[in-house]
Amino acid sequence: MSNFVVRRLLSVIPIAFIVLITVFLLLHIGPGDPAALIAGENATRDQIEAIRERLFLDRPLLEQLFLYLSNVARFDLGQSVYSGFPVVQLILQRVEPTAMLAVSTLTLSVLIAVPMGVWGAWRAGSAIDTFLIVASVIGFSVPVFVIGYVLVDLFALRAGWLPVQGYKPLSTGLWNCLRSITLPSITLSFLFSALVARITRATMLEVLAEDYIRTARAKGAGNGRILMVHALKNIGVPVVTVVGTSFAALLGGVVITESVFNIPGMGRLTVDAILTRDYPVVQGVLIVFSFVLIAVNLLVDLSYALFDPRVRQ
């Protein structure tokens, strides 16, 4: 098991390096002068030169790369061209809304989708199973922003139960915070729950068809024991894998959802930075999102040690 953990930890190093190189090259692979693109059409030559000097674009490419990597190693992601604030400071200001939205969506999706998938497989072919299949297809098919607008119309504008938009930080109270992210979390959980439920159902159907399940039934084991003791523990690896690998889709949905509900998170920061051509902020957010995905997938790999006995040997 220790060798498995060490190999997974070491594999993160080249992946992180490739991510940093890719994010660095994003500023250089486009046509034209990056400094002129950032400055805008009405910028003077002096303004363009000032941006070029601030971003080290007047240096050779390899020197730019070395300065970029050394700054990242010191957690220095540069300064915003638009506001002048450090990128790290801007990101830290937006972390809480995005983290709360992601955690609440992930928790809600797993709590709903896993029981749905298990129950659908256990009652395969029944009306409940058919309903769950149709619901998962709808969750996949309807765009996130459409679901968001429908929920806002139903529960915020008409019923008045929840706020239309905005975010209340944890400092205002846990209840206020959870109330402000309820609609965004439900919106995001439609897609995520549909994916997890379908994978859970498919995996559970395969497990229920295994020989050891038939052996347990032949020995007189009850349905509850078969489901809870023999079946559930063997769907852990696929379910954890799909939760980890679909985390990228969750982060992509965060960008759209935060724009729809006017949540001042990292998704909204990304959209604003793109609109204002604030490339240092875009690069910083991409680095953070990429490293979060790397960390999540690393945790998924390490979790195999809990579910797969071959890894623990």
Side-chain angles (χ1 to χ4, degrees):
M1 178 178 174
S2 59
N3 292 334
F4 173 81
V5 173
V6 171
R7 287 198 305 269
R8 288 296 183 269
L9 291 176
L10 292 178
S11 68
V12 171
I13 298 176
I15 296 174
F17 185 75
I18 293 173
V19 167
L20 292 176
I21 297 297
T22 303
V23 173
F24 168 78
L25 293 176
L26 287 177
L27 189 61
H28 300 272
I29 59 177
D33 184 2
L37 292 174
I38 295 173
E41 298 178 355
N42 300 322
T44 63
R45 182 175 296 274
D46 291 338
Q47 291 173 330
I48 295 175
E49 289 298 329
I51 292 177
R52 184 179 290 112
E53 182 178 353
R54 184 193 303 179
L55 300 180
F56 306 113
L57 296 175
D58 55 342
R59 312 283 183 90
L61 186 63
L62 290 179
E63 185 178 352
Q64 293 181 44
L65 177 59
F66 175 78
L67 292 172
Y68 167 77
L69 294 177
S70 60
N71 287 337
V72 171
R74 298 195 303 269
F75 300 100
D76 180 8
L77 301 179
Q79 289 184 330
S80 168
V81 177
Y82 183 74
S83 66
F85 290 106
V87 175
V88 173
Q89 177 182 340
L90 294 176
I91 291 176
L92 290 177
Q93 292 174 350
R94 306 294 187 100
V95 165
E96 181 187 310
T98 299
M100 289 297 298
L101 180 57
V103 171
S104 60
T105 300
L106 184 63
T107 304
L108 181 63
S109 300
V110 171
L111 291 178
I112 293 175
V114 173
M116 283 176 54
V118 171
W119 186 252
W122 187 255
R123 300 295 184 185
S126 65
I128 294 178
D129 184 34
T130 303
F131 170 78
L132 295 179
I133 293 175
V134 173
S136 64
V137 172
I138 294 175
F140 268 120
S141 305
V142 181
V144 172
F145 67 91
V146 173
I147 297 175
Y149 287 133
V150 170
L151 293 178
V152 167
D153 181 62
L154 292 177
F155 298 103
L157 297 179
R158 298 190 183 186
W161 294 343
L162 296 168
V164 176
Q165 59 181 5
Y167 172 77
K168 297 293 184 181
L170 284 170
S171 58
T172 63
L174 180 61
W175 171 250
N176 291 330
C177 177
L178 293 178
R179 191 168 179 268
S180 67
I181 63 173
T182 297
L183 284 182
S185 299
I186 295 175
T187 300
L188 266 180
S189 66
F190 267 82
L191 172 63
F192 209 62
S193 297
L195 178 60
V196 176
R198 293 188 67 173
I199 297 299
T200 303
R201 178 184 179 274
T203 306
M204 180 59 75
L205 286 174
E206 293 180 2
V207 169
L208 292 176
E210 294 289 340
D211 292 338
Y212 62 85
I213 297 294
R214 288 195 291 269
T215 301
R217 283 200 175 99
K219 290 182 177 181
N223 290 335
R225 180 174 178 80
I226 291 174
L227 182 63
M228 301 302 297
V229 177
H230 299 286
L232 278 181
K233 67 178 182 180
N234 290 295
I235 69 171
V237 171
V239 172
V240 171
T241 301
V242 73
V243 169
T245 55
S246 58
F247 200 78
L250 176 60
L251 292 181
V254 164
V255 175
I256 301 174
T257 306
E258 288 183 354
S259 299
V260 172
F261 290 95
N262 194 27
I263 296 176
M266 292 183 62
R268 184 65 182 272
L269 177 64
T270 305
V271 173
D272 293 342
I274 293 174
L275 293 177
T276 58
R277 294 188 288 259
D278 200 342
Y279 285 96
V281 175
V282 175
Q283 285 182 316
V285 173
L286 286 177
I287 290 174
V288 172
F289 276 163
S290 300
F291 275 62
V292 168
L293 288 178
I294 291 174
V296 169
N297 283 278
L298 176 63
L299 291 176
V300 170
D301 288 341
L302 296 180
S303 68
Y304 290 161
L306 300 176
F307 297 103
D308 194 340
R310 295 170 297 180
V311 177
R312 297 195 294 265
Q313 295 177 354

